[in-house]
């Protein structure tokens, strides 16, 4: 059976009291949520040192809200799970929460928010949990009402878990139809675990999409291309195991995956003296 | 639910409702929770608010004492005014009650401080 929560039950049932408790007691979940929210705030490109009013879509128990508070912002959250919101109120969050289904639209006045963040919520919109649910229509309703609720030049950043390529295409096409422009930023694309998808949507003014973490700048100069070709000719596959070259390559690979790696020094891969 | 949220909230997601703003409040239980005073945020948020709606909402639940009905031109220098605005916006918390849509009369219950804006299948646009 699939391990994706959205395949198991509708969100308002899946996030019951037991699941909600996990989100306040499991330090790993809390850590990950906080990291992803930090990254969302980074991608929002808010004006520096200005307290903003943000919308948290799928705020759940307010873990992401706490990070927003720490960064000096006020927030209003919406979520479909009563149990999660109850926990949020118990945690005495500074923001405010509303019980609402994002597929029914964002119930706020035009131009209310300076930005919107969402951590691990968007993938739920692909579900048709009720007979009346039509995912494409719900996505469009959501994006068009969100577009209205944001102030001009505001951004919306969604961290989410897409299941396949077609979901990504559907998301971006519906967002564009609603008036947004932007796209998907993939952090650490070379790692299975650290890989994270962020949908960055912008409302006004042309700006380049932010750079993903863990992707190196592509050099297009001829010299480097040749050097690479030469190197690959020489090697034909992986370097011999337990050699310095093998070690360096392994460390490089780990760095690309965003894992913690010690820096390369003159001691890296050096032979021990015979005395040892 | 804080009044800042009320000032932003609409019922326009309902089928057949055009603006759905402002929602009127029927409060049965109101709490005052203390929130850190941040004058910078209040100054920034005031131009975005519909002040008349805020004043009426505060008045309807009996928390408008001392709050001016219109904003003065140089409100950002008036610390006393900012403090009052802070109190009304962030510290007055509606625990139990109802929000009523001005167009359709649909009631949205507020329980444990959380307004329930969920719609039924027939109400979705």
């Amino acid at each position: 059976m699939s391990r994706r929560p959205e395949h198991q039950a509708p969100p308002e049932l899946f996030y019951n009291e037991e699941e909600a408790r996990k989100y306040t007691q499991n330090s790993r979940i809390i850590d990950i949520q906080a990291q992803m929210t930090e990254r969302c705030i980074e991608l929002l490109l808010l004006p520096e040192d200005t307290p903003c009013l943000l919308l948290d879509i799928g705020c759940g128990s307010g873990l992401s809200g706490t990070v927003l508070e720490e960064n000096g912002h006020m927030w209003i959250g919406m979520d479909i799970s009563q149990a999660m919101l109850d926990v949020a109120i118990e945690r005495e969050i500074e923001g405010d929460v509303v019980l609402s289904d994002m597929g029914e639209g964002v119930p706020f006045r035009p131009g209310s928010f300076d930005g919107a963040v969402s951590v691990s919520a968007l993938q739920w919109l692909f579900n048709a949990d009720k007979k009346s649910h039509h995912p494409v229509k719900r996505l469009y309703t959501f994006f068009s009402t969100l577009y209205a609720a944001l102030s001009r030049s505001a951004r919306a950043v969604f961290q989410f878990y897409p299941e396949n390529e077609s979901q990504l295409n559907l998301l971006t096409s519906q967002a564009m139809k609603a008036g947004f422009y932007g796209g998907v930023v993939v952090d650490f694309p070379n790692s299975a675990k650290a890989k994270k998808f962020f949908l960055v949507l912008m409302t006004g003014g042309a700006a380049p999409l932010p750079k993903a973490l863990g992707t190196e700048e592509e050099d297009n100069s001829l010299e480097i291309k040749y050097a690479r070709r030469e190197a690959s000719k020489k090697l034909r596959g992986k370097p011999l195991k337990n050699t310095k070259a093998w070690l360096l390559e392994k460390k490089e690979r780990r760095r690309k995956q965003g894992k913690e790696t010690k820096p390369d020094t003159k001691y890296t891969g050096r032979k021990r003296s015979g005395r040892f | 639910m804080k009044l800042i949220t009320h000032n932003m909230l609409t019922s326009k997601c309902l089928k057949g409702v055009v603006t759905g703003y402002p929602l009127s409040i029927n409060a049965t239980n109101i709490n005052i929770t203390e929130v850190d005073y941040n004058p910078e945020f209040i100054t920034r948020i005031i131009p975005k608010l519909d002040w008349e709606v805020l004043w009426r909402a505060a008045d309807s639940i009996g928390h408008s004492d001392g709050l001016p009905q219109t904003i003065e031109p140089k409100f950002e220098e008036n610390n006393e005014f900012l403090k009052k605005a802070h109190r009304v916006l962030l510290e007055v918390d509606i625990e139990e009650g109802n929000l009523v849509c001005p167009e359709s009369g649909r009631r949205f219950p507020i329980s444990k401080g959380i307004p329930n804006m969920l719609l039924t299948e027939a109400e979705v646009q």
Side-chain angles (χ1 to χ4, degrees):
Chain A
M1 193 180 147
S2 158
R3 293 189 56 203
R4 295 181 76 95
E6 50 292 8
H7 290 176
Q8 293 172 19
E12 63 272 35
L13 300 178
F14 178 80
Y15 290 108
N16 52 18
E17 271 139 51
E18 191 191 333
E19 196 69 22
R21 195 110 303 132
K22 267 193 213 169
Y23 272 76
T24 44
Q25 292 173 348
N26 186 327
S27 59
R28 198 184 128 257
I29 292 183
I30 296 175
D31 260 11
I32 292 177
Q33 292 261 325
Q35 274 172 25
M36 291 193 296
T37 316
E38 288 281 357
R39 177 71 177 136
C40 281
I41 297 174
E42 211 175 282
L43 291 172
L44 270 181
L45 283 185
L46 294 168
E48 256 175 66
D49 297 324
T50 340
C52 295
L53 181 65
L54 302 178
L55 175 66
D56 188 344
I57 302 152
C59 60
S61 56
L63 290 177
S64 42
T66 312
V67 179
L68 299 179
E69 280 163 25
E70 282 164 7
N71 282 275
H73 303 301
M74 170 69 192
W75 59 281
I76 297 178
M78 50 188 277
D79 202 287
I80 196 173
S81 159
Q82 179 79 50
M84 293 288 268
L85 293 181
D86 285 344
V87 174
I89 295 286
E90 256 173 56
R91 291 179 61 236
E92 297 187 338
I93 42 154
E94 265 179 49
D96 213 4
V97 290
V98 175
L99 182 66
S100 166
D101 178 2
M102 57 177 168
E104 289 168 3
V106 178
F108 293 100
R109 205 154 58 87
S112 299
F113 298 98
D114 302 312
V117 295
S118 164
V119 177
S120 319
L122 202 56
Q123 66 270 13
W124 288 98
L125 268 182
F126 290 107
N127 281 18
D129 294 321
K130 288 181 190 150
K131 211 173 156 190
S132 59
H133 281 189
H134 188 305
V136 179
K137 199 178 147 211
R138 280 164 59 81
L139 274 170
Y140 179 69
T141 314
F142 169 64
F143 283 128
S144 53
T145 49
L146 176 67
Y147 187 88
L150 291 176
S151 63
R152 290 301 77 104
S153 85
R155 288 179 169 210
V157 179
F158 305 82
Q159 183 277 322
F160 68 111
Y161 298 103
E163 224 168 303
N164 48 42
E165 193 81 8
S166 63
Q167 283 196 347
L168 281 178
N169 292 338
L170 183 61
L171 262 187
T172 37
S173 66
Q174 291 307 312
M176 303 300 132
K177 215 174 132 193
F180 283 110
Y181 68 98
V184 179
V185 176
V186 188
D187 279 359
F188 305 113
N190 298 316
S191 160
K193 263 192 176 167
K195 191 174 184 175
K196 288 279 168 330
F197 289 84
F198 292 89
L199 178 66
V200 181
L201 297 178
M202 296 170 262
T203 53
L209 209 59
K211 250 194 124 37
L213 298 178
T215 49
E216 262 149 68
E217 196 117 354
E218 279 302 313
D219 282 306
N220 289 326
S221 69
L222 214 56
E223 225 172 306
I224 289 180
K225 260 188 201 163
Y226 278 130
R228 272 200 195 142
R229 198 202 280 166
E230 292 301 323
S232 65
K233 248 187 206 165
K234 226 188 284 167
L235 292 174
R236 290 263 175 259
K238 290 174 188 169
L240 210 56
K241 210 166 179 185
N242 296 334
T243 58
K244 187 172 179 178
W246 169 81
L247 192 71
L248 288 174
E249 198 188 277
K250 184 166 177 171
K251 288 178 86 173
E252 195 49 47
R253 198 163 59 239
R254 283 179 62 85
R255 243 172 247 134
K256 274 190 190 162
Q257 295 174 343
K259 289 177 183 161
E260 202 179 312
T261 316
K262 291 269 173 14
D264 295 337
T265 64
K266 61 178 180 177
Y267 304 109
T268 307
R270 200 174 67 163
K271 280 223 165 59
R272 290 196 190 277
S273 68
R275 271 174 287 139
F276 191 74
Chain B
M1 186 194 67
K2 299 180 201 298
L3 286 185
I4 185 173
T5 311
H6 170 261
N7 208 279
M8 306 287 178
L9 211 56
T10 72
S11 59
K12 66 172 178 213
C13 296
L14 279 170
K15 198 179 199 166
V17 168
V18 186
T19 40
Y21 187 81
L23 302 165
S24 47
I25 308 175
N26 291 329
T28 51
N29 187 12
I30 297 169
N31 254 354
I32 304 290
T33 45
E34 228 162 82
V35 177
D36 290 336
Y37 173 52
N38 183 346
E40 211 184 327
F41 175 72
I42 302 292
T43 331
R44 239 185 80 94
I45 201 75
I46 281 178
K48 282 187 161 208
L49 296 170
D50 191 326
W51 188 262
E52 205 187 314
V53 169
L54 178 72
W55 190 86
R56 285 225 189 107
D59 195 45
S60 72
I61 56 170
H63 278 273
S64 66
D65 41 315
L67 203 68
Q69 226 164 337
T70 48
I71 315 171
E72 309 151 35
K74 282 194 174 172
F75 67 87
E76 58 268 24
E77 289 157 18
N78 187 347
N79 203 26
E80 206 175 311
F81 166 73
L82 290 180
K83 270 193 179 150
K84 272 178 196 148
H86 163 80
R87 187 183 153 83
V88 167
L89 278 173
L90 301 176
E91 294 192 336
V92 174
D93 218 331
I94 301 162
E95 280 282 299
E96 305 286 332
N98 276 310
L99 291 172
V100 187
C101 168
E103 284 169 49
S104 64
R106 158 81 143 91
R107 283 170 183 270
F108 298 98
I110 306 173
S111 79
K112 290 185 259 177
I114 307 169
N116 181 346
M117 302 302 288
L118 292 178
L119 310 178
T120 63
E121 272 174 38
E123 288 168 337
V124 179
Q125 277 184 355

